[in-house]
């Protein structure tokens, strides 16, 4: 590939001796622009090269790859097919078609094209490299690379390494594949090998810096970006990754958060200044602003992008996200409807449905919003936080039994993000869903009791007092015969009283709950044990906490009446 580009440059130099403008149209320079993420510049060069050097299949491939990086898969496919028309044995363009098929979720098509690319690769590294890169293209909402995809990338790149052990781009891509699976030692070795072969390659330095970032070694990470910029002061990706590092640093060190976020934004602006300031590069800035949580800035950037005559529709996606986060729901709704109705359906992400559902619920359309969130989940089940959002909305709408089922899904599918409060809310939802006038709802009490029991089991050293309170309430409801009390709730009310009093003086809410607990015990002693002294003691404690409690007032009224009669 290097030989081809050198021959092309040399031949052009013979025809246009000393013409720097023609030299700037070489494939080598176009590839350098791609590496620097100057995609508009690279695209302009490559479009020209597909005309002036229309028999070279590489020109079409790299043009297609730029389209992939800019999220135009259909245009990429057209370019790759033209490359194959020019050279039916173009392994690179088959690698490109495989990448498009993979983005379109066409696994069989991707495998077929990747196999063809490798079969045609011969002794050249590029087809191996770009099949590897294709496997590393993110296809999920969270941008993570699956173990299977990373393994496939590593396998093909290691085959390529046998063919071309000193190809720097291949080694860096191999490092990226290892890094995606947090195989830091293997990734570091690949990047180190690339730097040894080409010490002046800024991409290897930047990749190493990213590796240090994920280890939260921010100082060494910065050093790598500085080394990359010492090699090439205009290497934009170094500033972009530096910005991402400062953003992560801000999360890890709250004391430095404000300064690091501001620094990150400035570094990203520097990155933009070193690209072509195209809508696509500003879209990448918008992606960064989302990850940095800078929604005010995002809304401004997205609004400006949406106003331009040649704006990418994707600007409306960002505008919707930002407006929602900034609680500007009418603007969010307008922008999201524009995006969802006008964008190619293949470009609509599960996260778009997630935000659409949130916007709908924030606009008072809870039922519609819940259905939209469920669609988002059907498209990407990894977004487990959505179960909680659905549950909260159902609870807010007083659809308690459904909310309990939704919280049950949170606890079952939330993984490491599940909290004890999710189990607690599951129990509360089922508790409020119970209605003794509706047959068949007894099962909800059993489900509620199970959820509260789980919370109690998981907090033996720091008991969750409210779990005892609600478990007491649930068990009290199980007392079907009020004239023959069993006392199911007694141990739980007693434990609640013990825990609350151990904390010191209760607040107003705690006093009401204590009164409720003492009232239950008073009734138990009065009607179950027939112990008037204990009953009176319990009702007295209830009165001390909540004199307005109706059962307390009734008890002492009866007692006063009984005393009057006895006289």
């Amino acid at each position: 590939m290097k030989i081809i580009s050198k021959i092309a440059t040399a031949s052009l130099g013979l025809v246009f001796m000393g013409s720097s403008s023609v030299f700037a149209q070489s494939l080598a320079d176009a590839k350098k622009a791609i590496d620097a993420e100057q995609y508009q510049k690279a695209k302009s060069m490559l479009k020209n090269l597909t005309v002036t050097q229309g028999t070279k299949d590489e020109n079409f491939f790299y043009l297609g790859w730029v389209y992939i990086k800019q999220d135009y898969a259909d245009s990429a496919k057209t370019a790759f097919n033209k490359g194959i028309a020019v050279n039916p044995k173009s392994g690179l363009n088959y690698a490109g078609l495989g990448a498009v098929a993979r983005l379109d979720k066409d696994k069989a098509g991707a495998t077929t094209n990747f196999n063809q690319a490798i079969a045609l690769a011969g002794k050249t590294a590029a087809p191996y490299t770009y099949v590897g890169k294709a496997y590393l293209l993110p296809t999920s909402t969270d941008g993570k690379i699956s173990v299977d995809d990373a393994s496939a990338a590593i396998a093909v790149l290691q085959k390529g390494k046998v063919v071309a052990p000193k190809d720097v781009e291949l080694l860096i891509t191999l490092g990226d594949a290892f890094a995606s699976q947090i195989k830091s030692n293997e990734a570091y070795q690949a990047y180190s090998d690339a730097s040894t072969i080409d010490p002046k390659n800024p991409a290897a330095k930047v990749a190493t810096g990213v590796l240090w970032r994920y280890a939260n070694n921010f100082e060494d990470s910065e050093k790598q970006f500085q080394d990359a910029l010492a090699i090439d002061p205009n290497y934009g990706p170094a500033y972009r990754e530096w910005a991402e590092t400062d953003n992560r640093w801000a999360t890890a060190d709250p004391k430095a958060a404000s300064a690091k976020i501001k620094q990150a934004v400035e570094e990203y602006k520097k990155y933009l200044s070193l690209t072509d300031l195209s809508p696509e590069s500003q879209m990448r800035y918008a992606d960064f602003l989302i990850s940095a949580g800078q929604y005010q800035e995002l809304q401004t950037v997205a609004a400006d992008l949406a106003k331009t005559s040649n704006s990418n529709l994707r600007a409306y996606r960002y505008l919707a996200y930002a407006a929602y986060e900034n609680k500007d729901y009418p603007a969010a709704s307008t922008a999201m409807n524009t995006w969802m109705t006008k964008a190619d359906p293949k470009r609509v992400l599960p996260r778009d449905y997630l935000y659409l559902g949130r916007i709908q619920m924030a606009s008072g359309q809870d039922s519609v919003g819940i259905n939209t969130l469920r669609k988002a989940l059907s498209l990407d089940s990894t977004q487990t936080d959505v179960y909680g959002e659905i549950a909260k909305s159902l609870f807010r709408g007083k659809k308690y039994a459904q909310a309990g089922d939704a919280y049950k899904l949170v606890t079952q599918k939330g993984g490491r993000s599940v909290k004890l409060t999710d189990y607690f809310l599951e129990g509360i939802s089922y508790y409020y869903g119970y209605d003794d006038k509706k047959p068949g709802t007894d099962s909800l009490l059993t489900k509620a009791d199970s959820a509260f029991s789980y919370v109690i089991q998981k907090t033996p050293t720091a008991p969750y007092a409210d779990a005892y309170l609600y478990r007491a309430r649930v068990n009290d409801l199980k007392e079907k015969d009020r004239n023959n009390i069993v006392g199911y709730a007694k141990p739980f009310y007693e434990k609640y009283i013990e825990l609350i009093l151990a904390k010191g003086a209760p607040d107003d809410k705690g006093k009401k709950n204590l009164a409720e607990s003492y009232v239950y015990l008073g009734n138990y002693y009065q009607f179950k044990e027939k112990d008037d002294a204990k009953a009176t003691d319990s009702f007295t404690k209830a009165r001390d906490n909540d004199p307005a409690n109706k059962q307390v007032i009734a008890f002492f009224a009866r007692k006063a009446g009984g005393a009057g009669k006895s006289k």
Side-chain angles (χ1 to χ4, degrees):
M1 197 160 58
K2 291 181 178 178
I3 294 173
I4 292 173
S5 62
K6 285 180 180 177
I7 293 172
T9 303
S11 62
L12 285 169
L14 290 173
V15 178
F16 300 102
M17 192 71 71
S19 174
S20 60
S21 63
V22 173
F23 176 78
Q25 299 301 310
S26 72
L27 180 58
D29 277 344
K31 289 169 64 179
K32 186 176 180 180
I34 293 172
D35 184 47
E37 299 179 14
Q38 297 171 335
Y39 295 128
Q40 284 298 103
K41 178 180 178 181
K43 187 160 63 176
S44 177
M45 290 180 181
L46 290 161
K47 281 183 175 179
N48 184 58
L49 286 170
T50 58
V51 174
T52 60
Q53 299 177 17
T55 60
K56 296 186 180 298
D57 57 280
E58 283 183 302
N59 295 332
F60 291 98
F61 168 75
Y62 285 104
L63 176 59
W65 194 255
V66 170
Y67 280 127
I68 279 183
K69 300 301 287 184
Q70 292 186 327
D71 195 25
Y72 295 114
D74 290 342
S75 297
K77 186 175 183 179
T78 299
F80 297 141
N81 279 323
K82 287 181 178 178
I84 290 170
V86 166
N87 177 11
K89 295 185 178 181
S90 175
L92 266 176
N93 281 289
Y94 277 108
L97 287 178
V100 172
R102 187 171 170 277
L103 292 174
D104 285 343
K105 305 290 194 299
D106 178 6
K107 188 174 181 179
T111 300
T112 298
N113 283 297
F114 289 155
N115 288 343
Q116 184 72 348
I118 298 308
L120 295 169
K123 296 294 184 180
T124 58
Y128 292 97
T129 300
Y130 280 88
V131 169
K133 285 181 183 286
Y135 274 119
L136 299 178
L137 291 171
T139 58
S140 63
T141 304
D142 59 11
K144 292 180 180 178
I145 309 302
S146 72
V147 174
D148 288 346
D149 286 335
S151 298
I154 290 167
V156 74
L157 290 165
Q158 286 178 328
K159 288 180 181 178
K161 188 178 176 182
V162 173
V163 172
K166 294 187 177 182
D167 188 280
V168 170
E169 188 177 12
L170 185 147
L171 288 170
I172 292 173
T173 307
L174 179 59
D176 293 343
F178 282 126
S180 74
Q181 302 306 300
I182 321 179
K183 294 183 177 180
S184 302
N185 291 336
E186 294 90 336
Y188 181 81
Q189 186 61 56
Y191 296 146
S192 180
D193 289 345
S195 285
T196 300
I197 294 166
D198 183 4
K200 295 296 183 182
N201 189 305
K205 301 288 185 185
V206 169
T208 305
V210 172
L211 198 62
W212 288 128
R213 175 174 80 222
Y214 287 124
N216 286 348
N217 185 345
F218 303 119
E219 289 84 358
D220 283 343
S221 183
E222 276 191 337
K223 179 67 167 56
Q224 292 295 323
F225 303 137
Q226 290 166 350
D227 288 349
L229 291 168
I231 294 169
D232 182 356
N234 296 318
Y235 191 66
Y239 282 105
R240 175 173 52 76
E241 295 298 348
W242 198 344
E244 296 286 2
T245 298
D246 278 331
N247 184 38
R248 185 179 175 104
W249 197 338
T251 303
D253 184 359
K255 292 181 180 178
S258 179
K260 286 298 177 184
I261 285 292
K262 289 179 182 177
Q263 188 175 328
V265 170
E266 291 306 310
E267 286 157 355
Y268 215 104
K269 287 179 179 176
K270 178 67 175 176
Y271 160 71
L272 285 177
S273 74
L274 292 171
T275 67
D276 36 42
L277 281 175
S278 64
E280 283 75 16
S281 62
Q282 292 181 70
M283 294 291 178
R284 290 195 299 282
Y285 180 44
D287 283 325
F288 169 77
L289 291 173
I290 289 176
S291 67
Q294 299 290 296
Y295 295 109
Q296 292 291 345
E297 172 80 359
L298 175 62
Q299 190 165 353
T300 300
V301 170
D304 288 344
L305 278 169
K307 290 175 185 175
T308 59
S309 58
N310 61 338
S311 67
N312 186 317
L313 267 175
R314 194 153 45 110
Y316 290 99
R317 168 193 283 158
Y318 294 123
L319 186 55
Y321 289 8
Y324 168 79
E325 297 290 352
N326 293 328
K327 295 183 170 44
D328 185 356
Y329 302 128
S333 181
T334 300
M336 185 56 82
N337 285 335
T338 299
W339 167 249
M340 299 293 276
T341 56
K342 293 185 178 181
D344 184 331
K346 289 191 296 186
R347 300 183 70 198
V348 176
L349 300 174
R351 186 171 62 177
D352 297 333
Y353 286 104
L354 175 60
Y355 268 94
L356 175 59
R358 288 170 174 168
I359 291 165
Q360 288 166 337
M361 290 196 297
S363 303
Q365 300 173 283
D366 277 17
S367 296
V368 176
I370 287 171
N371 287 335
T372 305
L373 289 180
R374 283 174 172 154
K375 178 168 180 125
L377 275 172
S378 72
L379 296 171
D380 184 1
S381 60
T382 66
Q383 301 297 307
T384 53
D385 287 350
V386 181
Y387 291 109
E389 294 182 47
I390 292 172
K392 287 177 186 177
S393 180
L394 289 167
F395 191 91
R396 191 168 55 242
K398 298 183 179 180
K399 298 177 180 178
Y400 298 121
Q402 292 180 50
D405 291 341
Y407 277 118
K408 185 72 174 176
L409 287 173
V410 174
T411 61
Q412 289 176 336
K413 300 186 177 184
R416 293 181 179 179
S417 65
V418 176
K419 303 178 181 65
L420 277 179
T421 50
D422 295 320
Y423 288 94
F424 183 70
L425 291 169
E426 177 192 338
I428 286 182
S429 299
Y430 284 133
Y431 168 73
Y432 282 117
Y434 170 75
D435 186 345
D436 61 358
K437 296 177 183 177
K438 291 182 180 179
T441 60
D442 283 0
S443 63
L444 299 182
L445 290 180
T446 303
K447 291 178 180 179
D449 196 42
S450 176
F452 295 132
S453 175
Y454 182 86
V455 174
I456 289 169
Q457 291 170 26
K458 293 296 180 181
T459 56
T461 57
Y464 203 130
D466 281 0
Y468 283 98
L469 176 65
Y470 274 96
R471 197 168 187 202
R473 290 170 175 172
V474 167
N475 279 276
D476 187 31
L477 289 172
K478 291 180 180 179
E479 299 273 12
K480 299 302 183 184
D481 185 356
R482 290 294 168 179
N483 295 316
N484 187 23
I485 296 174
V486 178
Y488 297 134
K490 183 174 180 287
F492 304 114
Y493 274 125
E494 288 175 334
K495 186 66 175 179
Y496 175 76
I497 292 170
E498 174 193 329
L499 294 172
I500 292 299
L501 293 181
K503 293 181 179 180
D507 58 15
D508 290 344
K509 181 180 178 182
K511 287 180 179 180
K512 287 185 178 296
N513 291 336
L514 279 173
E516 172 191 328
S517 305
Y518 284 122
V519 163
Y520 175 87
L521 293 177
N523 284 325
Y524 177 83
Y525 292 129
Q526 183 179 20
F527 298 108
K528 176 68 174 176
E529 295 194 354
K530 313 298 184 183
D531 189 330
D532 186 64
K534 284 187 176 181
T536 301
D537 180 61
S538 293
F539 275 106
T540 299
K541 290 175 179 176
R543 182 173 60 186
D544 291 342
N545 283 282
D546 184 11
N549 184 291
K550 292 181 180 179
Q551 292 190 65
V552 168
I553 293 170
F555 174 81
F556 285 106
R558 287 197 305 272
K559 201 163 182 61
K565 287 179 182 179
S566 66
K567 290 179 181 178

